[in-house]
């Protein structure tokens, strides 16, 4: 529901947003691309037709997660309208704090267009950040799986949302969301498969791309050229 599929062939250069050239963990895009070219010659055409540009690292984790909940299962325009109304509830603030949201009555959250479930979920996230469920101060030092474990302990935050957080908020280099339809479609189209690939098939092929599977995720999204809202 996050990607609009097209059958556009890879015939022109396009630009996709990506992580900074070097992140906190020392990951360099140029080195990653060279590594991938060396381990899998078949994917080289992908790199020749798509150009990577900087993807901003985000540090307001509460903002990232609540925005993800708001945008889920909605078009970008509809989601932005609801998001703007949500932020406007907190007069004069660029974005509300966890306590602000936690203290907001459920019906007020519903009044800006959030569904009943999403209203509960953003409150759950707020509560997690106010308590000990999310170690926000130390999250950069945690392994990917530990972060996923913490995030998915919050009702309303599933594995897909946690994986998107790793990619688009923390810019982690080795995330390959097997359950994402856009990645599946991109994989299918690039490798000219008759049907959507099964997760175990994708996982097996992706083993050689470790520790830079995030790059491949972004390329496969771009193969289907769908708008991605995170």
């Amino acid at each position: 529901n996050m990607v609009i599929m097209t059958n556009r062939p890879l015939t022109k250069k396009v630009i996709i947003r990506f992580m900074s050239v070097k992140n906190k963990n020392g990951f360099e895009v140029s080195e990653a691309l060279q590594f991938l070219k060396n381990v899998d010659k078949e994917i080289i055409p992908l790199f020749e037709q798509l150009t990577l540009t900087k993807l901003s690292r985000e540090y307001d984790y509460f903002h990232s997660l609540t925005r993800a909940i708001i945008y889920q299962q909605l078009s970008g325009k509809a989601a932005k309208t609801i998001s703007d109304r949500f932020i406007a509830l907190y007069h004069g603030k660029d974005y509300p704090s966890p306590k602000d949201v936690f203290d907001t009555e459920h019906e007020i959250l519903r009044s800006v267009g959030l569904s009943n479930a999403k209203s509960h979920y953003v409150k759950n996230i707020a509560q997690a950040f106010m308590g000990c469920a999310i170690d926000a101060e130390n999250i950069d030092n945690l392994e990917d799986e530990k972060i996923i474990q913490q995030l998915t302990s919050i009702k309303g935050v599933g594995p897909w949302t946690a994986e998107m957080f790793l990619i688009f908020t923390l810019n982690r280099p080795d995330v390959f969301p097997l359950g994402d339809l856009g990645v599946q479609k991109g994989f299918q189209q690039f490798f000219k498969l008759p049907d959507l690939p099964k997760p175990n098939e994708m996982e097996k092929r992706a083993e050689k791309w470790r520790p830079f599977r995030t790059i491949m995720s972004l390329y496969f999204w771009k193969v289907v050229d769908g708008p991605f809202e995170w």
Side-chain angles (χ1 to χ4, degrees):
N1 61 337
M2 297 296 291
V3 181
I4 297 174
M5 306 307 168
T6 72
N7 293 315
R8 177 187 57 77
L10 289 173
T11 56
K12 63 178 181 179
K13 282 189 176 292
V14 292
I15 296 176
I16 64 177
R17 298 165 63 236
F18 198 53
M19 65 273 298
S20 57
V21 173
K22 186 171 183 178
N23 73 8
K24 181 179 177 183
N25 299 319
F27 169 53
E28 292 190 10
V29 173
S30 60
E31 292 179 4
L33 290 174
Q34 190 57 55
F35 171 86
L36 291 166
K37 290 175 184 178
N38 289 339
V39 299
D40 194 344
K41 304 296 185 187
E42 193 175 354
I43 61 176
I44 291 176
L46 204 55
F47 304 146
E48 292 176 342
Q49 296 174 73
L50 303 177
T51 303
L52 302 179
T53 57
K54 183 178 178 180
L55 173 68
S56 299
R57 170 71 159 80
E58 297 183 348
Y59 293 92
D60 188 339
Y61 306 143
F62 177 68
H63 185 176
S64 294
L65 286 171
T66 51
R67 183 184 64 224
I69 294 299
I70 291 169
Y71 271 70
Q72 277 178 5
Q73 299 178 328
L74 294 173
S75 69
K77 183 177 180 180
K80 186 178 187 306
T81 297
I82 294 172
S83 180
D84 289 346
R85 291 173 182 166
F86 170 72
I87 296 170
L89 290 174
Y90 307 95
H91 308 287
K93 292 192 174 184
D94 291 336
Y95 205 79
S97 69
K99 188 175 187 308
D100 290 333
V101 174
F102 185 75
D103 289 343
T104 303
E105 292 183 9
H106 182 80
E107 289 307 314
I108 292 178
L109 293 175
R110 296 273 285 123
S111 72
V112 301
L114 288 175
S115 67
N116 185 61
K118 287 185 178 184
S119 298
H120 284 298
Y121 295 162
V122 295
K123 273 184 166 282
N124 293 343
I125 294 170
Q127 186 174 23
F129 274 84
M130 291 171 64
C132 301
I134 300 298
D135 186 5
E137 293 297 319
N138 191 47
I139 205 164
D140 256 342
N141 299 317
L142 300 178
E143 297 293 328
D144 291 357
E145 286 305 317
K146 181 65 174 176
I147 295 170
I148 291 174
Q149 182 182 351
Q150 283 195 13
L151 295 181
T152 55
S153 70
I154 306 170
K155 184 177 173 62
V157 178
W160 181 88
T161 301
E163 289 171 330
M164 297 306 102
F165 180 87
L166 289 174
I167 293 174
F168 293 102
T169 299
L170 300 183
N171 298 169
R172 290 295 176 93
D174 194 36
V175 185
F176 196 63
L178 298 171
D180 183 88
L181 183 59
V183 173
Q184 293 171 0
K185 289 288 288 186
F187 190 103
Q188 177 191 10
Q189 290 184 28
F190 180 73
F191 290 115
K192 298 180 173 58
L193 305 177
D195 303 301
L196 279 178
K198 292 181 171 56
N200 61 345
E201 179 184 353
M202 295 171 65
E203 188 171 30
K204 183 177 180 181
R205 180 61 189 255
E207 277 300 311
K208 64 173 65 176
W209 303 330
R210 289 179 181 270
F212 301 115
R213 291 178 300 168
T214 292
I215 286 181
M216 298 307 300
S217 299
L218 290 172
Y219 273 123
F220 288 139
W221 274 315
K222 206 59 191 177
V223 167
V224 295
D225 203 22
F228 197 96
E229 298 287 352
W230 162 252

